[in-house]
Amino acid sequence: SQQGEEDPQALSIQEGENATMNCSYKTSINNLQWYRQNSGRGLVHLILIRSNEREKHSGRLRVTLDTSKKSSSLLITASRAADTASYFCAICLGGDDKIIFGKGTRLHILP
Amino acid sequence: KAGVTQTPRYLIKTRGQQVTLSCSPISGHRSVSWYQQTPGQGLQFLFEYFSETQRNKGNFPGRFSGRQFSNSRSEMNVSTLELGDSALYLCASSGGQGPYEQYFGPGTRLTVT
């Protein structure tokens, strides 16, 4: 399968803690993107990291990419109730730029 | 700018019928992609259009087709509906031809009975 695979499938943490989710893939990529989906707001783009980048930050989000291990991680620091959602990694395939989504990590922030 | 809009938001159809879904991208965006989302299979790529040309296609049967108009609006059509076509169909637009971030619409929830 070409799609990214997120790990874990589900994660529950206390509000204020950090949440880390991982994405592994098997093919060469142009970039890797993370998206968030909750029932109220649909799919929202969070961050894009290119294949020649190793780390990127956006607010409380930190994404790393290790192309040698074909893996990426998304760290959400100081989690809030509003972070409760499903998080998807999407790989942009090298060659045809097709974007393939993984099945997501369901994150639940406990009050 | 207005976001990506999809119509209709909800649809109930009967097996064997056909359906057309519509997507209006963000103004200025020329790339439109379609995805099918189900609990079992997750988000699956259907196809991508750029400047009225299909640029990429996923692994769906020929019953699924699409097109893009000169104003970048896109439609997808599913003929001879099957129960398994029940899903959330998401449209996403992107600002250019290339691996850019995508902006998603709210989706069309299709139920086939």
Side-chain angles (χ1 to χ4, degrees):
Chain A
S1 169
Q2 292 176 318
Q3 71 186 110
E5 293 188 11
E6 291 93 338
D7 172 65
Q9 289 186 332
L11 178 62
S12 292
I13 60 171
Q14 294 292 138
E15 192 168 11
E17 293 181 339
N18 296 342
T20 299
M21 50 206 91
N22 304 293
C23 173
S24 60
Y25 57 92
K26 295 180 179 178
T27 186
S28 65
I29 62 171
N30 279 327
N31 66 58
L32 186 146
Q33 304 175 32
W34 286 91
Y35 289 80
R36 180 184 66 219
Q37 185 179 38
N38 58 32
S39 57
R41 297 192 58 193
L43 261 166
V44 175
H45 178 265
L46 295 176
I47 201 163
L48 180 155
I49 185 165
R50 291 183 170 76
S51 60
N52 60 354
E53 297 176 313
R54 292 297 166 257
E55 188 170 313
K56 224 169 172 182
H57 296 255
S58 177
R60 293 183 296 112
L61 306 179
R62 173 178 162 246
V63 168
T64 61
L65 178 64
D66 187 335
T67 51
S68 65
K69 294 182 179 177
K70 291 186 166 53
S71 68
S72 173
S73 68
L74 170 67
L75 168 68
I76 303 173
T77 59
S79 62
R80 305 168 181 169
D83 295 328
T84 293
S86 290
Y87 291 80
F88 296 87
C89 74
I91 57 172
C92 179
L93 300 179
D96 61 9
D97 291 341
K98 193 183 293 186
I99 295 181
I100 307 294
F101 281 77
K103 293 197 174 182
T105 291
R106 292 189 311 279
L107 174 64
H108 185 54
I109 308 299
L110 304 168
Chain B
K1 280 185 181 177
V4 177
T5 58
Q6 291 186 246
T7 56
R9 293 291 309 277
Y10 302 91
L11 205 49
I12 300 175
K13 288 285 191 177
T14 304
R15 251 185 321 178
Q17 290 185 316
Q18 67 94 26
V19 67
T20 299
L21 311 182
S22 181
C23 171
S24 292
I26 291 172
S27 177
H29 283 191
R30 294 165 66 189
S31 170
V32 173
S33 297
W34 288 90
Y35 295 85
Q36 180 196 67
Q37 186 175 29
T38 59
Q41 298 299 317
L43 269 157
Q44 292 190 286
F45 173 75
L46 280 156
F47 26 66
E48 180 202 358
Y49 286 87
F50 181 85
S51 293
E52 302 179 65
T53 300
Q54 187 179 87
R55 208 175 145 240
N56 274 311
K57 189 176 189 304
N59 298 323
F60 278 80
R63 299 185 298 106
F64 292 81
S65 63
R67 59 177 175 168
Q68 187 180 33
F69 302 95
S70 58
N71 62 358
S72 293
R73 191 177 69 85
S74 177
E75 289 181 346
M76 68 161 280
N77 184 277
V78 188
S79 62
T80 319
L81 283 165
E82 301 177 358
L83 295 179
D85 297 333
S86 294
L88 180 66
Y89 289 89
L90 292 162
C91 161
S93 77
S94 176
Q97 182 180 10
Y100 298 105
E101 59 265 31
Q102 297 187 306
Y103 296 84
F104 281 82
T108 294
R109 173 75 62 186
L110 172 65
T111 302
V112 182
T113 62

